Amino acid sequence: EPEVTQTPSHQVTQMGQEVILRCVPISNHLYFYWYRQILGQKVEFLVSFYNNEISEKSEIFDDQFSVERPDGSNFTLKIRSTKLEDSAMYFCASSYKPVTQYFGPGTRLTVL
Amino acid sequence: DQQVKQNSPSLSVQEGRISILNCDYTNSMFDYFLWYKKYPAEGPTFLISISSIKDKNEDGRFTVFLNKSAKHLSLHIVPSQPGDSAVYFCAAKETNRDDKIIFGKGTRLHILP
């Protein structure tokens, strides 16, 4: 069964460094998303991406964040200058139609 | 700003019995509700959903009930099995905002032998 994959599974970085989290969505999906979950808290929507542009973003998704679909298969989340509070699990999701989204296993980001 | 509330952080149920997970919401613009299940070290997995025009949706052992007037929904699992032990997230979306799903904090379900 097709699935969303994410790399790396765990990323450790120093505060102020840039990180890129990578996702390979399910191949025929058209909608792409990033969510995050800070330890012990709820899953929070960050951004959705459709037709090569951002369709919706939350207040969390500020200028430090950007997303890209550089080729036909990858979907990336870049954090330009990481802060301690960016430490979280980051989940990529994709869907063929909106709403019923399929999630990847997540990348644990630890900012030191 | 908790638009989707799951007030029970955890729930323990005997194997074979019914598990009932509850969810309340505050946003009257929500028109579609979903339940996701999450195992440790995995992403959330879609389980079942319901549109606001319905009050019940059933899929095998899983049934979701929606009470719009009370802004309440529940997920029933019958009979509960050991593999059902996981964190269950209630989620919702607003009318005409298909992209953004708002999650609750989750309820950890333990199925006891």
Side-chain angles (χ1 to χ4, degrees), chain B residues 80-101:
Chain B
S80 300
Q81 297 175 353
D84 296 331
S85 294
V87 177
Y88 289 79
F89 292 98
C90 175
K93 74 150 196 85
E94 289 183 10
T95 307
N96 296 326
R97 296 186 75 179
D98 286 349
D99 288 5
K100 182 177 177 181
I101 291 180

Side-chain angles (χ1 to χ4, degrees), chain A:
Chain A
E1 187 175 316
E3 56 184 24
V4 176
T5 59
Q6 291 185 242
T7 54
S9 56
H10 190 187
Q11 173 90 47
V12 181
T13 189
Q14 295 289 324
M15 191 169 58
Q17 295 295 302
E18 174 183 286
V19 294
I20 297 176
L21 309 183
R22 301 180 193 281
C23 169
V24 179
I26 294 172
S27 62
N28 66 338
H29 283 187
L30 304 173
Y31 298 82
F32 313 105
Y33 314 84
W34 282 100
Y35 291 81
R36 79 172 186 192
Q37 185 182 24
I38 295 171
L39 187 64
Q41 299 188 24
K42 64 180 178 179
V43 176
E44 299 175 291
F45 170 82
L46 291 177
V47 66
S48 59
F49 192 86
Y50 171 71
N51 204 23
N52 285 320
E53 60 183 22
I54 290 174
S55 48
E56 176 92 45
K57 61 182 180 178
S58 72
E59 57 277 2
I60 302 167
F61 194 88
D62 61 22
D63 292 343
Q64 293 298 312
F65 292 88
S66 62
V67 289
E68 206 176 32
R69 189 155 157 80
D71 53 42
S73 59
N74 290 286
F75 180 52
T76 62
L77 174 69
K78 182 194 288 187
I79 309 175
R80 261 179 270 284
S81 177
T82 49
K83 304 189 281 281
L84 295 175
E85 54 265 37
D86 294 328
S87 294
M89 280 291 288
Y90 287 81
F91 294 106
C92 173
S94 69
S95 63
Y96 180 71
K97 295 186 290 188
V99 185
T100 308
Q101 300 168 18
Y102 295 83
F103 284 73
T107 293
R108 179 172 298 285
L109 176 65
T110 302
V111 182
L112 303 175

Side-chain angles (χ1 to χ4, degrees), chain B residues 39-58:
Chain B
Y39 293 119
E42 294 183 14
T45 303
F46 170 74
L47 199 54
I48 192 170
S49 61
I50 188 166
S51 164
S52 60
I53 62 172
K54 295 186 173 183
D55 54 19
K56 177 182 174 181
N57 188 27
E58 192 171 348

